[in-house]
Amino acid sequence: QSVLTQPPSASGTPGQRVTISCSGSSSNIEKNYVYWYRQLPGTAPKLLICRNNQRPSGVPDRFSGSKSGTSASLAITGLRSEDEADYYCATWDDSLRGRVFGGGTKLTVL
Amino acid sequence: EVQLLESGGGLVQPGGSLRLSCTASGFTFSTFVMNWVRQAPGKGLEWVSSITGGAERIFYADSVKGRFTISRDNSRNTLNLQMNSLRAEDTAVYYCAKAEYTGSDGGPGYWGQGTLVTVSS
């Protein structure tokens, strides 16, 4: 059971907007930065969003992150077939004194 | 260009030991928190351990505390993970990951390609 809760799956059609939620608590998301990663099968995770809503260089502006209280979300607009992947949220947990990940969301582009 | 190259993975018997290394290049290694994150076959990401730039602070997941030891050699730009008393549930791809920012926010940014550790008799 992951400390951060993500829906196991999400889907959308090309061009659509999709959001993936990440629910935590006052000891993790509320007090610390949230990061989002995308992982294609057989490859290493890639950073999509850092510090709640910052896009690293090279990440398209179709990807955006937000945080409110103990929850965070990743939004993808203009969905493309290549966005089909697993998405993970992560943050630091002050009580556990460790980094925690969500269980991952498998995004399907229909 | 940032590069992280993990090595040392392989097959080991339960109760055995293994030492993973991660050789870094393309950035000032000593100024970044470094992390180990693992992924069991078909499962999600699990944080294992983090170490600050000067090794002043070290953190471990409860699942590996007392069995794994993280260390770094800033003169050689190398991150290590000594794994002892290995269990079947430690079987995973182990990723070395560099923090995105310098300072205390150690959130992983760039990840290596990973090295597979298989614990089995």
Side-chain angles (χ1 to χ4, degrees):
Chain A
Q1 213 73 319
S2 302
V3 172
L4 304 180
T5 301
Q6 296 180 236
S9 64
S11 63
T13 56
Q16 223 176 10
R17 180 180 187 270
V18 168
T19 61
I20 297 172
S21 62
C22 177
S23 177
S25 70
S26 58
S27 66
N28 44 62
I29 288 180
E30 188 167 57
K31 292 193 178 75
N32 297 291
Y33 290 123
V34 177
Y35 286 67
W36 288 93
Y37 304 92
R38 175 167 76 176
Q39 186 178 34
L40 298 170
T43 69
K46 179 191 170 186
L47 179 65
L48 283 180
I49 296 291
C50 48
R51 291 190 168 177
N52 304 331
N53 54 21
Q54 303 300 303
R55 271 189 313 277
S57 121
V59 174
D61 60 6
R62 302 189 297 110
F63 296 90
S64 63
S66 63
K67 186 180 97 166
S68 178
T70 60
S71 292
S73 63
L74 173 72
I76 308 172
T77 58
L79 202 60
R80 300 179 178 181
S81 58
E82 57 260 39
D83 295 330
E84 197 162 276
D86 293 325
Y87 292 81
Y88 295 90
C89 60
T91 188
W92 184 263
D93 190 294
D94 291 337
S95 296
L96 296 174
R97 285 172 55 82
R99 194 153 300 277
V100 290
F101 284 87
T105 298
K106 185 174 186 61
L107 176 63
T108 301
V109 181
L110 302 169
Chain B
E1 179 193 1
V2 172
Q3 290 196 13
L4 298 171
L5 186 61
E6 300 98 333
S7 59
L11 174 63
V12 61
Q13 292 190 336
S17 298
L18 214 53
R19 183 177 178 85
L20 305 183
S21 292
C22 171
T23 303
S25 61
F27 63 101
T28 306
F29 182 72
S30 62
T31 62
F32 286 88
V33 170
M34 295 297 294
N35 305 274
W36 286 102
V37 179
R38 68 185 181 184
Q39 187 170 36
K43 302 296 185 183
L45 300 172
E46 180 190 15
W47 171 78
V48 172
S49 182
S50 298
I51 184 169
T52 54
E56 309 91 348
R57 284 175 291 159
I58 288 173
F59 305 93
Y60 296 102
D62 285 345
S63 57
V64 306
K65 205 171 290 184
R67 300 187 299 123
F68 290 12
T69 302
I70 192 172
S71 63
R72 64 191 297 158
D73 183 341
N74 288 342
S75 68
R76 298 184 178 187
N77 288 359
T78 301
L79 175 72
N80 302 301
L81 186 68
Q82 178 65 43
M83 305 186 296
N84 298 331
S85 303
L86 282 162
R87 307 166 180 167
E89 54 265 36
D90 295 319
T91 294
V93 173
Y94 284 72
Y95 294 102
C96 160
K98 162 194 167 291
E100 179 66 5
Y101 296 94
T102 58
S104 60
D105 173 17
Y110 187 84
W111 301 56
Q113 86 291 345
T115 187
L116 176 62
V117 172
T118 303
V119 184
S120 174
S121 54

